[in-house]
Amino acid sequence: MTFLVLFYRFFYIGLFAVGGGFAIIPFLETLVDGAHWVSRDDLSNIIALAEMTPGAVGVNMATYTGFALAGIAGGLVATLGLITPSLIIVGVISRLWQHAKEFPLAVSVFNAVKAAVVGLLGSVFITLFLLIFQEQDVFIFDIRKIILFALTLGIVSYFKINAIIYIILLGIIGAIIGL
Amino acid sequence: MKFISLFFAFFKIGLFAFGGGYTIVALARSEFVNKRRWISDGELCDFLALSQTLPGIISVNFAAFLGNRQGGFIGSVFAVSGMVFPAVLAILLLAHLITEANNYPVLKSALAGVRIAVAVMLLTLTFSQARTVLKSRFGVLLAVSAFIWILFDLSPAVPLIIAGIAGWLFYRQKGKVFE
C-alpha cells in the first residue's frame, strides 16, 4: 500500500512539474504541507544534500522521501514513479516529432521556442555564476574565484576539454586552496 | 551492447552532474556531440527545447530523448536509469552521514570549485546554442527578451509560450518558416 501511494505521489510530480531544476521545489512542498511525509527541516536538508550530490534535485528528493518512509525499496519506488511519466511522454513525442518536422508551421513555432530557450540558458548561467559567491545565503566576493573562472573559460574556449575533467580539477583545486 | 553503452554513458554523466538539470545538458554536449558524435548541436537544441517545454524533470526528459534517439523506448529506459543511478546511490549512502556541509570544510571547498566549473560549462553551452539557433535579428530579440524576463525571476513558461505564438504569427504573416 505504501509503495503504491509513494509511486502515485511521485508519478504526479513527474507529470505536472513544468520548468525543471529548482522549479520543482514548490511541488515538493506539497509533500510537507499536504501529505506530512517530510518535515520542513527535511526539505531544507535535502536541498542542501542535493547540492552536494550529483543529479537533479527532484530525483534526490524522491529517493530521500521514499527511503525515509520505506527503506531502500521505498527510495527506488518513489524514483521510478518520478521518471515514468517522462519516459512515456518522451516516447510519444519522439514519434510525433518525426512527423511534425514535415509541417512548416510546427517548425516555425518550434524554432521560435528554441530562440527563447537560448535566453533561458543565459539566465541560468547568471544564476549559477552568482551561486559561485554564495556561502550560507550570504554573498561573499572572492577574487580567487573570478580568476579561476576566467582561467577555466579561457582554456576551455581554446582546447576541447571534456567537462568532467575540469569539474574534477576545479574540485581538487578548491579543496587545496580552501575556497 | 548498444543499451549497455547507453547506460554507462549516462551513468558517467549522472555521476558528475553537480548543480542539477542544465549541468547534465552541458555534460551531454561534451560527451555526445564533441566526443562520441552521436548527435549534432542542432539536435541537442531540439531535445533541450522539447525537454524544457514538456512536463517532467528536464534532465530526465533530456536523457529520455537521447536514449530514444539511439535505441527507441528501451534505449530511453537505459539512458534514464543510468543517469539517475548515481543520484539514487548517493542519497541512499549519504542520507545518514551528511546533514550540513559546514561539518566538512574540505567538502565545502571542493564544492565551491565545482560550482566554478559548472558556471563555465553553462556559459559555453549558452554560446554554442546561440550560435546554432540564433540566425536572425528576430531570434536574437526573442532570446534577449526571455533572458531579461527570467532574470527577474518570472515564470520560464511564459516566454516560451510567447515565443511559440510569435513563431506561429511569423509563419502566418510572412508565409515562411521562422529562423
Side-chain angles (χ1 to χ4, degrees):
Chain A
M1 188 55 209
T2 317
F3 289 125
L4 209 64
V5 179
L6 257 178
F7 185 88
Y8 165 74
R9 272 264 171 191
F10 280 96
F11 185 91
Y12 183 86
I13 293 180
L15 191 57
F16 289 106
V18 184
F22 288 95
I24 199 180
I25 289 169
F27 288 92
L28 298 178
E29 281 175 337
T30 64
L31 296 172
V32 180
D33 303 325
H36 299 288
W37 277 0
V38 284
S39 68
R40 210 151 270 285
D41 271 356
D42 276 343
L43 187 66
S44 54
N45 272 347
I46 193 64
I47 292 168
L49 190 61
E51 286 207 327
M52 279 182 287
T53 56
V57 191
V59 174
N60 290 339
M61 185 70 189
T63 311
Y64 182 86
T65 312
F67 180 67
L69 284 170
I72 292 177
L76 295 178
V77 167
T79 310
L80 198 65
L82 187 73
I83 65 179
T84 304
S86 287
L87 289 172
I88 298 169
I89 292 171
V90 169
V92 173
I93 297 291
S94 285
R95 202 158 277 205
L96 289 179
W97 178 232
Q98 298 307 320
H99 300 293
K101 272 182 173 169
E102 291 157 18
F103 296 98
L105 175 63
V107 176
S108 187
V109 168
F110 192 65
N111 280 347
V113 171
K114 284 200 285 194
V117 169
V118 173
L120 185 114
L121 282 176
S123 72
V124 173
F125 161 71
I126 299 290
T127 312
L128 289 174
F129 183 75
L130 294 176
L131 204 64
I132 294 178
F133 305 101
Q134 201 87 18
E135 284 178 32
Q136 253 95 66
D137 300 330
V138 200
F139 190 89
I140 299 167
F141 185 78
D142 186 341
I143 190 79
R144 294 176 304 170
K145 290 177 176 174
I146 290 281
I147 294 170
L148 274 175
F149 176 82
L151 263 178
T152 312
L153 186 63
I155 292 169
V156 169
S157 331
Y158 279 101
F159 308 100
K160 279 212 165 138
I161 302 174
N162 195 308
I164 291 173
I165 294 174
Y166 61 88
I167 288 183
I168 297 175
L169 278 179
L170 279 168
I172 294 171
I173 292 170
I176 291 173
I177 66 174
L179 277 182
Chain B
M1 198 55 224
K2 178 172 71 181
F3 296 127
I4 306 289
S5 99
L6 257 179
F7 180 89
F8 280 107
F10 272 95
F11 180 86
K12 198 166 103 186
I13 287 176
L15 195 60
F16 290 96
F18 290 92
Y22 293 100
T23 316
I24 287 164
V25 179
L27 282 168
R29 179 167 182 268
S30 193
E31 185 75 20
F32 300 130
V33 180
N34 293 340
K35 199 172 137 202
R36 294 178 191 239
R37 295 180 195 283
W38 282 358
I39 57 165
S40 65
D41 255 324
E43 274 175 295
L44 187 90
C45 264
D46 288 356
F47 292 153
L48 176 58
L50 284 168
S51 305
Q52 177 73 48
T53 5
L54 293 173
I57 314 280
I58 292 175
S59 55
V60 174
N61 286 345
F62 185 77
F65 270 116
L66 256 162
N68 208 301
R69 156 84 159 65
Q70 294 302 108
F73 184 75
I74 311 279
S76 71
V77 172
F78 275 83
V80 171
S81 314
M83 194 198 68
V84 301
F85 198 69
V88 171
L89 214 60
I91 294 292
L92 293 181
L93 293 174
L94 300 176
H96 290 307
L97 289 176
I98 304 179
T99 43
E100 285 172 63
N102 302 331
N103 303 338
Y104 302 87
V106 178
L107 194 66
K108 221 182 101 211
S109 298
L111 212 76
V114 168
R115 281 180 176 175
I116 295 173
V118 168
V120 171
M121 268 163 62
L122 243 295
L123 189 59
T124 321
L125 176 69
T126 308
F127 276 133
S128 74
Q129 294 291 290
R131 262 200 309 271
T132 316
V133 176
L134 305 179
K135 291 170 189 155
S136 65
R137 263 180 297 175
F138 203 41
V140 174
L141 182 73
L142 281 181
V144 172
S145 329
F147 174 75
I148 294 168
W149 177 276
I150 301 160
L151 213 53
F152 285 103
D153 245 358
L154 302 165
S155 160
V158 177
L160 297 184
I161 293 167
I162 292 176
I165 296 171
W168 177 66
L169 287 176
F170 187 92
Y171 182 73
R172 279 201 45 182
Q173 292 294 317
K174 307 217 166 176
K176 57 178 184 183
V177 170
F178 177 92
E179 269 188 306

